[in-house]
Amino acid sequence: MRHNVRVDENNDTAPCAQGADPAAPAWRGPAETAPVGSGPAGGAPAQLPHAESAGADGPRLAARRRQVPLWARLAASGTALALMVVGLSWVPVPYVVESPGPTFNVLGSDSGTPMISISGTDPASGADVAVDAPQSSSYAAKAPSGDGGPGQLRMVTVAESGGPGRRLNLLQLVGATFDSRSRILDYDSVYPPTATQEQVDSANQAQMQSSQSTSQVAALEYLGWRVPASVTIEGGVEGTDAAGKVAKGDALTAITTADGAVHPVDSASAPFAIMSRVPVGDTVVLSVQRDGTALEIPVTTVAGEEGSEGSKLGVYLSIDAQLPLDISFNLENVGGPSAGMMFSLGIIDRLTPGDMTGGAVIAGTGTMNYDGRVGAIGGIQQKMWGAKEDGAQWFFAPAANCDEVVGNVPDGLRVVRVATLGEAADAVHAIAQGDGASLPIC
């Protein structure tokens, strides 16, 4: 099965649209008065509403206010309050609120369809690949309390209010202010002013598809499967040495490092794994095929994102991976790249006999790169709260997010620091064997 995904070699994921959802007060004029007409036939003067005769000097009008009944005053106050609430609900404010979102068990199902479907032939044996049956419970259901049930691997989300096309109103902002689990951000720090809802949704879906592709490759390679791939350069990153040297459509076949070693680029993980060991500023040689001609292109490497190992080539790559198995995901209306690590763990669990979790409920988050590195994500504090509320006992956090974790862990949730898929899988096995207390924490 072929999966073609365009990635930023500096980030390994698709780009995101980021910096990525009155009634006027009522006014009454002067009161109208009823017209004065002729008195009755007997000649008695007509009585005006709200007036009476008084005094020895003859009839006169004495102003007097009628007392409004309590029920009428309450009704008027309630109506005014309702109008005010309705008015406030239409007043947009320039903020975005992130709150704990739903979590999903990647080992579960929805109406009989597993979240992760796996099928195909094992090339080593020629037989159908052995896959553990998915759990029959809904992947959206909270984890049951108590021990004895099957373990779970739960991906986590952030619920966002205030993005393009879904602007926040004043009432929602007030509610979020009193919710300690929510985070309020300036709109301009999250989205550019020209971003549209369609652009944000499209970017989120592209990131989700990219995370599913990288999670499959990383999981299968972790299990020892070979995943061949074609790697194509889409262009150079502006400001790097590669810009102006490489061209769109160059097929990358090898990278020669400064020590003279030639490293074939024949898998999706190869370029990332190679560059994770190359220091910033080294000169490497890219072997490419351009329009049928072999070229050797020297480029000076550049730094990647903060905290990353090695260096980057300064190019955009597209990966065409030839997966040996058919793997698909049954999940709708969820976007972004941060479920990659949990998708990988779910694939590993399904392709490993037995319950890998040992009955534990483990939630987690982190992007997954082709070479198995776990990347940083946003909204980790809200994701920890969501995991806790849905019954998780353990939470896997990217090492790069540990500074946001410390001091913000919900009571009863144990957070484990992970930097690679191998570390995450080892942590699952340790928890299953009762050795979770020895795992590294943030």
Side-chain angles (χ1 to χ4, degrees):
M1 180 178 181
R2 300 175 71 89
H3 283 245
N4 188 285
V5 177
R6 183 173 187 263
V7 299
D8 179 347
E9 187 265 343
N10 289 299
N11 193 32
D12 298 350
T13 62
C16 174
Q18 278 225 20
D21 159 300
W27 180 84
R28 286 186 71 166
E32 293 183 356
T33 58
V36 179
S38 304
Q47 294 285 327
L48 291 176
H50 312 302
E52 63 179 16
S53 297
D57 294 333
R60 68 179 177 86
L61 296 178
R64 180 182 178 189
R65 294 183 180 275
R66 184 178 63 182
Q67 293 294 319
V68 179
L70 177 61
W71 66 266
R73 284 181 282 166
L74 292 175
S77 299
T79 300
L81 180 61
L83 290 173
M84 182 180 70
V85 170
V86 171
L88 292 177
S89 68
W90 284 93
V91 178
V93 291
Y95 297 98
V96 172
V97 172
E98 293 181 347
S99 304
T103 72
F104 305 101
N105 176 22
V106 300
L107 303 178
S109 304
D110 178 37
S111 302
T113 302
M115 178 187 284
I116 303 176
S117 296
I118 306 174
S119 62
T121 302
D122 185 340
S125 65
D128 289 343
V129 65
V131 183
D132 281 356
Q135 296 176 11
S136 59
S137 58
S138 170
Y139 58 64
K142 293 186 177 182
S145 59
D147 299 327
Q152 297 187 358
L153 296 171
R154 302 191 73 92
M155 57 169 282
V156 294
T157 67
V158 171
E160 181 189 273
S161 303
R166 297 179 281 257
R167 296 303 293 267
L168 199 71
N169 63 52
L170 188 56
L171 285 181
Q172 292 172 314
L173 178 62
V174 171
T177 303
F178 292 97
D179 184 355
S180 61
R181 305 168 308 160
S182 295
R183 180 169 69 154
I184 301 174
L185 304 168
D186 289 333
Y187 181 91
D188 291 341
S189 70
V190 182
Y191 296 107
T194 58
T196 66
Q197 180 178 338
E198 292 74 17
Q199 289 172 334
V200 173
D201 291 344
S202 177
N204 284 336
Q205 285 306 308
Q207 289 181 318
M208 171 59 75
Q209 293 172 5
S210 177
S211 74
Q212 292 172 353
S213 177
T214 57
S215 70
Q216 295 173 61
V217 172
L220 292 176
E221 289 194 344
Y222 170 83
L223 291 170
W225 292 68
R226 185 174 183 277
V227 184
S230 300
V231 179
T232 303
I233 295 174
E234 296 294 332
V237 177
E238 185 177 354
T240 68
D241 186 46
K245 293 183 176 181
V246 299
K248 179 179 175 62
D250 285 350
L252 181 61
T253 59
I255 299 174
T256 303
T257 49
D259 59 1
V262 178
H263 305 271
V265 176
D266 55 3
S267 69
S269 62
F272 308 103
I274 295 166
M275 296 309 298
S276 68
R277 302 186 296 270
V278 175
V280 175
D282 269 16
T283 297
V284 299
V285 178
L286 309 183
S287 299
V288 304
Q289 288 285 331
R290 180 183 299 173
D291 298 327
T293 301
L295 300 175
E296 302 291 317
I297 304 174
V299 298
T300 301
T301 63
V302 297
E305 61 274 12
E306 184 178 355
S308 64
E309 297 180 349
S311 61
K312 301 294 183 182
L313 293 171
V315 300
Y316 297 105
L317 300 175
S318 64
I319 310 293
D320 185 10
Q322 290 88 53
L323 294 172
L325 298 175
D326 291 320
I327 303 176
S328 60
F329 298 84
N330 174 39
L331 181 65
E332 297 181 349
N333 301 320
V334 179
S338 63
M341 178 183 69
M342 298 309 292
F343 285 151
S344 287
L345 289 176
I347 294 169
I348 292 170
D349 188 302
R350 295 286 308 284
L351 290 172
T352 303
D355 182 1
M356 192 170 91
T357 67
V361 180
I362 303 169
T365 184
T367 64
M368 179 51 56
N369 298 315
Y370 281 113
D371 62 348
R373 286 176 294 119
V374 176
I377 50 81
I380 194 165
Q381 295 174 21
Q382 288 68 44
K383 290 174 178 178
M384 289 190 295
W385 276 109
K388 172 64 177 176
E389 291 169 0
D390 281 359
Q393 305 148 341
W394 298 84
F395 189 93
F396 290 177
N401 285 111
C402 273
D403 59 336
E404 301 173 76
V405 170
V406 176
N408 296 295
V409 180
D411 290 341
L413 188 68
R414 184 174 176 85
V415 178
V416 177
R417 183 183 74 247
V418 295
T420 67
L421 178 58
E423 290 181 1
D426 289 345
V428 174
H429 290 302
I431 292 170
Q433 294 166 5
D435 296 330
S438 64
L439 294 172
I441 62 174
C442 286

